[in-house]
Amino acid sequence: MASLEASLSPLIQRWLEWDQDPVTRSEIEQLRDSGQAAELGKRLQKRIQFGTAGLRGRMAAGFSCMNSLTVIQASQGLAKYLRDNHSDLVPRGVIVGYDARHNSAKFATLAANAFIAQEIPVWFLSGPAVTPAVPYGVMDMRALAGVMITASHNPAQDNGYKVYFKNGCQINSPMDKEISDSIDQNLEPWPNAWTDSPDGAFFHPKTYEELLPRYTTRVWHYSKSTVQDWMYPRPFVYTPLHGVGGLVLPALCRSLGITDFTTVAEQVEPDPNFPTLPFPNPEESGALDLAVETADREGKTLIIANDPDADRFAAAEKVEGSWFFFTGNHMGALLASHLFDCLENIDTDTRVAVLNSAVSTTMLEKMAAAKGIYFEESLTGFKWMGNTARKLEESGYYVTFAFEEALGYMFPEVCYDKDGITAAMVFLSAQARWATQGLTPYTKLQQLFAEYGHHETLNNYFRSPNPDTSVALFDSIRAGPFRSEMRLGPFKIHRWRDMTEGYDSGTEDKSPKLPADKGSQMLTLWLDRDVRFTIRASGTEAKVKYYIESCSSSREQATEAVCDTLRAILKEWIQPFSPLLTYNKQLPTSSGYILRLD
């Protein structure tokens, strides 16, 4: 204990020298005075890591957490990186936005101070903003970069720091490492770093008042362009899950004459405490319960939702008296089908491309092939899909759409990141169009299954106590006999891809076509019964996620295959490894079948 306390003393002293936030200073002082060395070690001995997702974590005092000081440090490193490496573009400035979470406005102000210190103009979005407005704004205003303070769908105690470059995409390798190195060289707060009211020639507030109408106009024109004749959607219920979508989508709908909808009263106003749900993620079971109650009370049969920063979109439909919740894969196929129909009048010489992530459904690739559209697989995350779309455009492709199964959809004509506002408007346009064909979103999905095969998925996660445990799990899998014997329980393994080690048994040179990443953990296997599954360690949460899909001529066969696959993963990989990994005992497949694990 004495040696630990001795090593902590200079870290405590440094924190108290640098931190001018009375709340977090007090936290460290109280931990010091009460002798909580172990907790101080967790807080101070490791730094929160800056990567391609920027920063995201729990708000608390300490170098390992999200707080005013670590935001200042990240911003100073980013500002110095931009000044040193892109000085000719510095006059374009940086857009800084924030959502409605606790401390988001304060963190945004502190970030602005760093750019101002480097004489980089700051276009400050004063007022809680939807995340897609920032990547849209970077392109619209030809800014050098953008910063969005948000933790997206994380719990109330979290916050984050998301960075976009001049191409409107999230930063990617190797830029993230270069910015991280710059942060490490600029840790001590600069003069005026703690100013709470920046001003001067380089500070331009209220930009959101100018940018938001341009963004919503762009969304409207794009969604309208996907139908020949604008039609009104059927009545629906909308929830922004206590987030900033409620400040944008209802007003956008009403401005277009869409008035037959109801907002969930308890969730329509931004509330950083998320009082009606512990996990404000529309993927989570129960997240849309209040929307269902509202819809049932009012006799409406369609629900749409955004997550708290409005970059994700979800929908549900009442089918024969029960609610059907569309997965991200369902919605990706539905939106793609609608957009493909819009391409019928496009110039035949135009090369069209679509993307989805390696953990998303294989259905998009089949749909694209049937239409003669180029398909490309991407690594997980829109930092990859956005930049891949840009490269395809540079090669002469028109990229119409990209998505991943975690309720994220990108429309490059609006922005190069996931965009829940545009997704909602395109979905409403599509739903109105399908209605003229006697179809609902659910029956349209069944029509697509009949054409391309029933694609059943079972996506969920194991909770991991820490990143080291997650890495140890993957090491144990690789050390096992599975790759050499090419078997997993009752399944034959037809192909094994390891994106960490850069191995793919399905290519001629045994190297994956996607870029390998030794800093991540990700395996994909192709099995009997047309099963493909991926298991990966999350980069932003304490989870090991898995994604299982089977395609069959019937829902029953596909459902049985994904359930058998999960049982094999549990028996062969998870249970022998560690009791520290926990998981849900009742899991829904994409069609609603509940798998019970005893």
Side-chain angles (χ1 to χ4, degrees):
M1 177 67 76
S3 62
L4 178 61
E5 290 175 346
S7 67
L8 286 172
S9 181
L11 293 173
I12 295 170
Q13 182 178 355
R14 187 174 304 159
W15 179 270
L16 295 177
E17 285 176 359
W18 288 351
D19 185 17
Q20 293 185 25
D21 187 319
V23 174
T24 46
R25 279 183 60 88
S26 177
E27 278 186 50
I28 296 300
E29 289 171 339
Q30 289 175 11
L31 291 171
R32 177 200 62 190
D33 296 345
S34 58
Q36 297 188 49
E39 182 63 22
L40 282 166
K42 292 179 184 177
R43 302 280 194 98
L44 298 173
Q45 289 180 322
K46 288 187 178 181
R47 286 196 55 77
I48 186 171
Q49 291 299 302
F50 184 93
T52 51
L55 303 173
R56 190 181 297 185
R58 181 171 64 99
M59 287 183 284
F63 296 118
S64 66
C65 304
M66 282 293 300
N67 50 65
S68 296
L69 179 57
T70 54
V71 166
I72 286 172
Q73 293 172 329
S75 302
Q76 291 180 170
L78 176 58
K80 194 67 166 62
Y81 169 84
L82 294 174
R83 168 58 70 181
D84 290 348
N85 294 276
H86 303 280
S87 59
D88 56 324
L89 300 178
V90 157
R92 294 188 184 185
V94 174
I95 295 176
V96 178
Y98 59 91
D99 67 8
R101 285 178 177 266
H102 288 299
N103 295 316
S104 284
K106 177 171 69 174
F107 291 167
T109 298
L110 296 175
N113 291 336
F115 301 115
I116 293 168
Q118 291 295 311
E119 298 186 346
I120 301 173
V122 173
W123 312 106
F124 195 78
L125 307 188
S126 51
V130 295
T131 288
V134 173
Y136 168 82
V138 169
M139 298 303 299
D140 178 73
M141 301 179 66
R142 299 185 70 250
L144 171 57
V147 171
M148 179 67 188
I149 306 297
T150 180
S152 190
H153 58 284
N154 279 35
Q157 65 268 25
D158 291 1
N159 215 323
Y161 186 104
K162 196 173 185 180
V163 181
Y164 300 90
F165 195 45
K166 63 179 181 177
N167 62 354
C169 303
Q170 294 181 49
I171 59 165
N172 210 334
S173 302
M175 189 182 295
D176 59 330
K177 177 63 165 59
E178 294 166 353
I179 295 172
S180 181
D181 291 343
S182 181
I183 293 170
D184 290 342
Q185 296 162 16
N186 293 277
L187 295 177
E188 183 173 356
W190 297 336
N192 301 320
W194 293 93
T195 300
D196 59 8
S197 55
D199 57 15
F202 295 99
F203 185 63
H204 307 279
K206 299 184 179 179
T207 311
Y208 194 48
E209 295 176 6
E210 304 164 3
L211 183 65
L212 181 61
R214 296 204 297 272
Y215 166 71
T216 55
T217 298
R218 182 63 184 148
V219 171
W220 160 234
H221 282 304
Y222 174 69
S223 59
K224 188 177 180 180
S225 74
T226 68
V227 290
Q228 289 185 336
D229 299 304
W230 171 248
M231 294 159 284
Y232 291 105
R234 79 201 225 200
F236 61 92
V237 165
Y238 170 66
T239 176
L241 298 183
H242 298 295
V244 291
L247 303 176
V248 175
L249 190 66
L252 174 58
C253 287
R254 292 186 185 105
S255 72
L256 303 174
I258 303 172
T259 58
D260 197 352
F261 68 92
T262 302
T263 55
V264 177
E266 301 92 331
Q267 297 175 333
V268 70
E269 295 295 330
D271 188 331
N273 294 312
F274 306 113
T276 65
L277 65 174
F279 299 101
N281 181 353
E283 290 182 289
E284 292 283 345
S285 177
L288 299 183
D289 282 356
L290 280 176
V292 166
E293 290 178 17
T294 303
D296 285 342
R297 184 171 61 246
E298 301 212 352
K300 292 182 170 64
T301 57
L302 188 66
I303 291 170
I304 64 172
N306 289 127
D307 68 341
D309 69 328
D311 65 350
R312 298 178 188 225
F313 169 74
E317 180 184 343
K318 200 167 191 177
V319 180
E320 296 180 354
S322 299
W323 284 95
F324 181 84
F325 298 89
F326 295 97
T327 67
N329 285 326
H330 292 155
M331 188 56 61
L334 285 168
L335 293 174
S337 173
H338 175 64
L339 294 174
F340 288 175
D341 289 343
C342 305
L343 297 172
E344 293 175 354
N345 298 323
I346 200 169
D347 189 329
T348 55
D349 293 331
T350 301
R351 294 188 297 166
V352 181
V354 291
L355 307 162
N356 70 359
S357 67
V359 300
S360 300
T361 180
T362 59
M363 193 170 174
L364 181 65
E365 183 175 9
K366 297 167 186 172
M367 294 169 62
K371 297 285 187 179
I373 292 172
Y374 176 73
F375 167 84
E376 187 161 320
E377 183 184 45
S378 163
L379 287 177
T380 305
F382 284 85
K383 59 183 177 285
W384 294 103
M385 281 186 280
N387 284 285
T388 301
R390 286 300 237 163
K391 289 178 181 177
L392 286 170
E393 289 175 345
E394 291 169 3
S395 302
Y397 282 97
Y398 165 60
V399 182
T400 184
F401 182 55
F403 84 91
E404 69 176 11
E405 55 75 40
L407 302 178
Y409 319 95
M410 181 179 83
F411 308 86
E413 288 199 30
V414 179
C415 73
Y416 292 89
D417 196 12
K418 55 184 177 289
D419 182 347
I421 300 296
T422 302
M425 296 307 299
V426 172
F427 175 74
L428 292 175
S429 300
Q431 181 271 314
R433 181 179 183 179
W434 294 327
T436 66
Q437 303 165 3
L439 297 169
T440 70
Y442 177 81
T443 55
K444 178 63 178 180
L445 180 64
Q446 304 315 306
Q447 187 183 79
L448 293 173
F449 282 157
E451 186 173 358
Y452 299 103
H454 187 94
H455 290 67
E456 189 75 5
T457 57
L458 179 52
N459 300 345
N460 215 280
Y461 56 85
F462 307 110
R463 288 204 175 274
S464 177
N466 53 61
D468 291 339
T469 300
S470 300
V471 172
L473 167 65
F474 283 87
D475 288 343
S476 75
I477 293 170
R478 295 187 182 100
F482 311 103
R483 179 171 142 184
S484 59
E485 296 180 2
M486 295 298 277
R487 292 205 67 85
L488 177 65
F491 291 93
K492 179 180 178 181
I493 300 172
H494 295 278
R495 181 179 170 191
W496 175 291
R497 184 172 70 187
D498 187 335
M499 294 307 303
T500 309
E501 294 191 341
Y503 172 82
D504 188 343
S505 68
T507 62
E508 188 174 342
D509 63 357
K510 306 304 180 187
S511 296
K513 294 180 180 179
L514 297 174
D517 183 1
K518 291 186 179 298
S520 66
Q521 298 292 330
M522 180 171 167
L523 297 168
T524 301
L525 278 66
W526 286 258
L527 310 177
D528 293 330
R529 297 158 71 181
D530 205 358
V531 170
R532 185 190 73 168
F533 84 86
T534 294
I535 183 169
R536 72 178 185 92
S538 172
T540 57
E541 301 171 279
K543 296 176 179 179
V544 174
K545 297 184 175 182
Y546 59 85
Y547 313 80
I548 308 170
E549 180 178 57
S550 177
C551 177
S552 180
S553 59
S554 76
R555 182 179 66 185
E556 291 73 22
Q557 289 177 335
T559 300
E560 183 180 18
V562 297
C563 291
D564 288 348
T565 302
L566 179 57
R567 293 187 185 101
I569 294 169
L570 288 171
K571 181 179 179 181
E572 302 290 337
W573 287 1
I574 303 302
Q575 291 167 348
F577 169 70
S578 174
L580 296 175
L581 292 170
T582 59
Y583 51 90
N584 299 323
K585 300 295 184 180
Q586 296 187 19
L587 298 166
T589 68
S590 56
S591 65
Y593 173 82
I594 302 297
L595 172 63
R596 290 177 171 80
L597 301 168
D598 297 324

